[in-house]
Amino acid sequence: MQKREVVRYGSAPSHFVELWDADPQGPPARGLAVTVHGGWWRDRHDLHLMDALAADLAGRGWCVANIEYRRTGGDGGGWPDTLTDALDAVAAAHAVRPALADLPSIAVGHSAGGQLALLTAAAGLVNAAVALAPITDLPRCAAEGLGEDATPLFVGTPYEDDPAPYREASPLHRLPLGRPHLIVHGDQDQRVPVTHSRAYVEAAKAAGDPVTYVEHAGTDHFQVVDPQHASWAAAVGWLENRAG
């Protein structure tokens, strides 16, 4: 197992980052990859969901910051605190690896982590983002009851009572993001329907954003975070192009 350095960025138990340095036997350093796990923002899931992708990226020459953040369910998370955590985690990773400042930084997020990765790119803390089966439209997620009604729990209020934070937390409603980003989705996704990403990409292109879309036939919600799956090969190619 590759060595991981734990970096803390706050006082809460979930305020930490696991840093994986690039494999010294691998290619020259490409930059910083920030991996952001999903799980519908609930604390039953943690950063280890991204361990396989983090290991793969480190082997390809990336320094990887696998971030943890406060989640719902007793961990103290919710909107907007969870996004604040993600931004603080990225800033902490940059601070402890200043030698990477002149190299690309790219957020790689899955599901709810895809939402956070896209919003981190919009905030200008990374140069680009890869969103794997991302949550992009919180009003639609709430209306469809996705994630066992996880969205109102994350926002903290029903959509009918206050639509504003649902829109603020939605990459779809924050367009243009102003950063290159890749959306990867499988057409057999039962957790975040592929129609969400199709609608997002259409809107992003209309807004003038540099967005690339890759849809994989016969692929479900979790195969897109399997480094052995063809969907990851497409993401790796896009990442390598960003690294020059």
Side-chain angles (χ1 to χ4, degrees), residues 13-227:
S14 296
H15 282 155
F16 70 94
V17 179
E18 286 190 351
L19 273 177
W20 305 51
D21 282 319
D23 186 344
Q25 305 302 316
R30 295 182 179 276
L32 176 68
V34 179
T35 50
V36 193
H37 73 85
W40 286 100
W41 311 286
R42 287 190 168 103
D43 63 2
R44 72 184 65 160
H45 306 286
D46 65 17
L47 79 172
H48 296 303
L49 289 172
M50 299 297 276
D51 279 355
L53 294 191
D56 186 80
L57 288 165
R60 296 176 185 275
W62 293 88
C63 177
V64 181
N66 193 18
I67 72 170
E68 192 55 280
Y69 51 85
R70 287 174 293 170
R71 289 141 286 150
T72 61
D75 197 39
W79 180 259
D81 295 334
T82 294
L83 176 60
T84 299
D85 286 358
L87 300 179
D88 289 348
V90 173
H94 281 298
V96 299
R97 290 294 185 272
L100 299 174
D102 294 329
L103 295 175
S105 58
I106 301 177
V108 181
H110 174 236
S111 193
Q115 174 234 11
L116 295 171
L118 293 171
L119 294 180
T120 298
L125 269 70
V126 294
N127 304 119
V130 174
L132 310 169
I135 294 168
T136 55
D137 186 351
L138 273 70
R140 183 173 177 181
C141 289
E144 296 175 3
L146 299 181
E148 297 76 44
D149 292 316
T151 308
L153 180 64
F154 173 66
V155 176
T157 185
Y159 177 77
E160 294 77 11
D161 291 351
D162 189 2
Y166 285 79
R167 295 178 62 84
E168 292 166 2
S170 298
L172 177 67
H173 299 293
R174 299 276 289 268
L175 294 170
L177 303 187
R179 292 288 187 277
H181 53 288
L182 169 69
I183 307 295
V184 178
H185 217 125
D187 69 356
Q188 298 302 306
D189 195 323
Q190 299 298 312
R191 299 295 291 166
V192 181
V194 69
T195 51
H196 286 230
S197 279
R198 291 172 183 168
Y200 172 83
V201 170
E202 182 179 354
K205 290 180 176 179
D209 254 349
V211 61
T212 302
Y213 181 54
V214 178
E215 184 174 308
H216 283 267
T219 299
D220 66 22
H221 189 65
F222 298 101
Q223 286 175 302
V224 295
V225 287
D226 178 358

